[in-house]
Amino acid sequence: MSTLERARCGLKAHPLALDAALATGVLVCMVAGSLVVPRDQHGVTWSLRTPDVLSLVLMLAGAAALVFRRRTPRTVLAVTGTVSLVECVTGDPRAPVTMSAVVALYTVAATTDRATTWRLGLLTMTVLTAAAMLAGPLPWYAQENLGVLAWTGIGATAGDAVRSRRAVVQAIRDRAERAERTREEEARRRVAEERLRIARDLHDVVAHHIALVNVQAGVAAHVMDKRPDQAKEALAHVREASRSALDELRATVGLLRQSGDPEAPTEPAPGLSRLEELADTFRSAGLPVAVARADEGTELPAAVDLAAYRIVQEALTNVRKHAGAAASAEVSVVRVGRSVEVTVVDDGAGGAAAQGDGPDAGGGHGLLGMRERVTAVGGTLTTGPRYGGGFRVHAILPVKTPTAQGEPV
């Protein structure tokens, strides 16, 4: 940034200093103009003169009032208009005190509405021009008198033009912001509607076919010993319903895929049975990971098993990314009653912000994703920094999901 741009930004940040600089410039121009006489008894000539003390006082008063032109523009216009009126009546030759009134009128026009600009502009032009023509020492048709009319009109017109331009620019910005908000809201609404539609479709597909499988499996179990042919027929229906459910589920999920997405994996979804393998991948990357398990003989539903695996995976990924190079992690899986508790702790420079998902963090969505996974299977998740350093992720997952317990789908 250049020196001129820095000075301009500094003045914009301090409007009173900018107005003081403007008032100083106006005072210099008025004093310089009062030293020159554009005419004498021999016609239009130029000569130097010493301004009257009253003119100097009026110029100083008008310039001083301009320092406060942003705070009280109408009061400043009244003050500068009054000193200009006095100079128009008493000045001989006249000093350019009207310049301060022109700047004040410009400020009023730029900061108020058009009706106020017309009212105060016409009043200022009329009073100053009439005083200059009727009570001044020059003939009414003198160029100096007509100049008062012209300059006050220019000040009002320029101020109104600046105000109009600002209003147009602000309106364009407002429309752009509204359009951006509308696009974002529309996008969010469409995403929510699409998610709801897909969730409804998945529910309908899975609920219908699983209910059919459940009924046919019950029939097969009931008649297995006495009527094996009927049991085989029921099992055939189970197989057909399962195949139809998989086909419709694959078609529904396929709607979410993009053309560049990788092919779906053919191996089963990972679970806690691959926990040691997961830990080895992080050990190979330089993160010491200790695994402790006390869940022998526990069979988790597929959704809960996958959620537990993903929680450990995401937690260890956060440790690797945010806890520091010297950090180590501990993973524990413990069966407690009808729940399995999965805990991942580290001793690094952790914390909510370090994990990238705290309330003040501006980054990722790892903790949010873990919380959504846990909530989806009916569990609870707590996360937070540990006393003395590090971070802790603790999930309580049900051994049986509500659907597995016989609740309606």
Side-chain angles (χ1 to χ4, degrees):
M1 182 180 293
S2 63
T3 304
L4 180 60
E5 292 177 346
R6 286 196 295 268
R8 185 180 302 168
C9 293
L11 289 176
K12 286 183 178 180
H14 301 84
L16 188 62
L18 179 60
D19 291 337
L22 175 64
T24 302
V26 171
L27 178 61
V28 171
C29 293
M30 289 191 296
V31 172
S34 65
L35 298 176
V36 179
V37 180
R39 66 170 63 232
D40 58 14
Q41 64 271 18
H42 302 291
V44 178
T45 59
W46 297 91
S47 60
L48 297 177
R49 73 178 182 92
T50 302
D52 298 333
V53 175
L54 178 60
S55 296
L56 290 175
V57 172
L58 294 176
M59 286 186 287
L60 184 61
L66 292 179
V67 177
F68 308 98
R69 69 187 186 95
R70 296 178 192 263
R71 297 184 178 180
T72 56
R74 301 188 188 188
T75 303
V76 171
L77 177 60
V79 172
T80 56
T82 300
V83 297
S84 299
L85 178 63
V86 173
E87 179 63 21
C88 287
V89 174
T90 61
D92 186 20
R94 190 180 299 149
V97 181
T98 309
M99 184 182 296
S100 61
V102 172
V103 175
L105 184 57
Y106 164 85
T107 304
V108 170
T111 56
T112 59
D113 56 277
R114 181 160 294 174
T116 303
T117 300
W118 275 95
R119 185 171 62 253
L120 296 181
L122 288 175
L123 177 62
T124 303
M125 286 188 293
T126 301
V127 171
L128 293 182
T129 304
M133 289 182 174
L134 300 178
L138 299 175
W140 69 270
Y141 53 83
Q143 293 182 358
E144 287 82 353
N145 297 337
L146 298 178
V148 173
L149 175 64
W151 281 109
T152 51
I154 290 173
T157 304
D160 184 71
V162 170
R163 181 194 56 78
S164 299
R165 180 181 179 278
R166 289 174 181 171
V168 170
V169 172
Q170 187 61 39
I172 293 174
R173 290 176 179 172
D174 292 341
R175 283 198 299 270
E177 291 177 358
R178 285 196 299 270
E180 185 66 23
R181 288 196 299 269
T182 301
R183 283 195 296 269
E184 292 177 355
E185 292 171 359
E186 179 67 15
R188 286 194 295 267
R189 184 184 64 81
R190 291 187 178 184
V191 169
E193 290 178 354
E194 186 65 12
R195 290 179 63 183
L196 180 61
R197 185 190 67 80
I198 293 173
R200 192 185 301 115
D201 290 345
L202 288 175
H203 176 272
D204 293 342
V205 169
V206 175
H208 169 72
H209 289 288
I210 295 303
L212 182 60
V213 168
N214 185 44
V215 171
Q216 295 295 337
V219 172
H222 181 67
V223 301
M224 179 65 71
D225 296 331
K226 297 181 180 179
R227 286 175 286 180
D229 293 339
Q230 188 175 354
K232 290 181 179 180
E233 183 180 354
L235 291 176
H237 287 304
V238 168
R239 184 175 59 181
E240 184 63 27
S242 301
R243 184 183 299 109
S244 299
L246 288 175
D247 291 340
E248 294 188 25
L249 186 61
R250 186 180 300 110
T252 303
V253 175
L255 297 175
L256 303 178
R257 298 182 184 273
Q258 303 295 327
S259 58
D261 288 347
E263 294 294 330
T266 57
E267 67 273 8
L272 291 180
S273 60
R274 297 173 57 182
L275 182 58
E276 195 63 38
E277 178 184 344
L278 175 65
D280 287 337
T281 61
F282 284 95
R283 294 184 187 115
S284 300
L287 175 65
V289 179
V291 178
R293 301 190 62 172
D295 60 333
E296 293 79 2
T298 301
E299 294 185 3
L300 297 177
V304 177
D305 201 19
L306 176 60
Y309 180 88
R310 294 303 186 196
I311 289 168
V312 175
Q313 183 182 44
E314 182 64 31
L316 292 178
T317 301
N318 284 344
V319 174
R320 184 72 179 87
K321 291 168 58 177
H322 304 291
S328 61
E330 297 179 4
V331 180
S332 65
V333 181
V334 181
R335 171 73 181 268
V336 180
R338 302 180 64 182
S339 301
V340 168
E341 298 187 8
V342 179
T343 307
V344 180
V345 296
D346 67 83
D347 57 359
Q355 292 286 327
D357 293 279
D360 300 325
H365 305 278
L367 296 185
L368 179 59
M370 283 191 277
R371 184 166 287 107
E372 290 181 350
R373 284 184 180 276
V374 172
T375 303
V377 297
T380 58
L381 178 74
T382 57
T383 61
R386 300 171 61 197
Y387 178 77
F391 199 80
R392 178 176 182 265
V393 175
H394 180 68
I396 301 177
L397 303 173
V399 174
K400 292 185 178 182
T401 60
T403 302
Q405 294 174 354
E407 295 186 6
V409 179

